[in-house]
Amino acid sequence: MNKEQYPTNAYAKEFIAKDFIHFNTPGHRSTGIETSFKTLTQQQLFKLDMIDVNVLETTVLKDVNEQMASAYKADRCFVSTQGTSTAVMAMILATCTDGGKVIVPRNVHRSVISGIILAGAEPLFLDTEFNEALGISNHFTGKALKKALAEHATIQAVLLINPTYFGVCTDLKNIVSIAHHKGIPVIVDEAHGAHLRFNGNLPISAMEAGADLAATSLHKLGGSMNQTSILLYRQGLVDVNRVQNAMNYLLSTSRPYQMIASLDSTRYQLERVGKERLQLTLTLANHFRSKVNQLKGLSCPTENDLLHSDASFDYDQSKVLIRIDSLPISGYELKEKLEVDYSILLELADVRYALAIFTTGTTPSDVDKLCDALKDIVSTIEPSSPPTIPVIQPPNPTMVLTPRQASFATTKLTNLNESLGAINTEFVISYPPGIPILIPGEEITQQHIDYIVTQRDSGATFVGSHDPRLENITIVQKLN
């Protein structure tokens, strides 16, 4: 590296010079930001950084929260400049206590497990519907939820992800009805649903379905700056004071004014032109699907391919899966080829697919360039049938200790191949989408070891682990 530059400056210059076409988050794509906010930050970014947000609680912040709550049909709103992870942890702290259980699907974000550790609660994992053709998990069924509520007396909350990373939605109204019948609050990780409220051709939002709390990322699909989020509250089963306290515990007192302004301006833009812009987004996404479905070796699954039950009930069509049907490459390789050879960034990949996210920042020109790139790639690769890389479902672990017990145990680092039968103490997560393969407190089996090696060899990136390559793993040496 040039010693005249510092690392972030050098990387930024290289990144900007590549002039990427984006089908990944944040959803603004740098071009979809609300005009007046974009002008303001271009001219006065560092002056905005001098504003003390703490003195604005009863004035500007009060107005921001009230208008955001109104826009999302909530009773209260709490803004977060520390991402949806903070809002997710706050939802758990506001509803769960030491020793209580919270129902969660297996395909949760690591922030859910972090919140459970902080609360001292215990996760009760429900099996989720698994799409074997793609290798993605959906939701648990209403039937499974009813069974769990009948069998366990200490359940304090039901948590679900809606939509999933891939745009699949549960029958949210039914889940809320089942839980509320037992007097149990429903809390929703709505990280990928900030846009749902603003177009009738999208699935129902958490607040509209009657959920009690929802953590919503405006930066992912709304159009605000990275790490801006909101926590939405419905009056009824959850004490609002516990929500406020939880946010107070977790949020920094040094909140950036420009990030709050980004949230506010995004809400303003969504309320005024969100419907029209989102309709264009959906039109572009469906046009792209039809184009890809004319290619050999690739396809884009439609609702008929993805929706099968109340666990896969609705679909956000702005999420576009590109499935590897008969090409001898993985989704990881496809994503890398698009990045290196065509300067196109997708959101994520796995063995059998890559994911492109369409947002209000997506242009027809972007879509044409992605279509042309895929057409070019297909023309240079000889198809194989059947697919050369099989889909493997992640194994279901056994929890030996609670996540909190394992997290505070005395640990040691050991080689992954020598960890069979040990109790894991770290997050083992392939990212994105950030779904845990193992969480603290779960027993390591040979299936886990084999799965981790397969993911690693296929090109997966691991986050939250002491060893980024996961050749070594931390396990319980002894309980404290």
Side-chain angles (χ1 to χ4, degrees), residues 63-64 67-68 71-72 198 218 262-272:
D63 290 342
V64 168
Q67 291 181 43
M68 194 75 77
Y72 279 91
F198 300 98
L218 264 74
S262 178
L263 278 168
D264 191 31
S265 65
T266 299
R267 183 271 313 159
Y268 178 86
Q269 180 167 265
L270 283 169
E271 283 197 294
R272 280 154 183 77

Side-chain angles (χ1 to χ4, degrees), residues 61-73:
L61 282 184
K62 180 174 179 290
D63 290 342
V64 168
N65 282 317
E66 287 179 353
Q67 291 181 43
M68 194 75 77
S70 175
Y72 279 91
K73 303 297 182 184

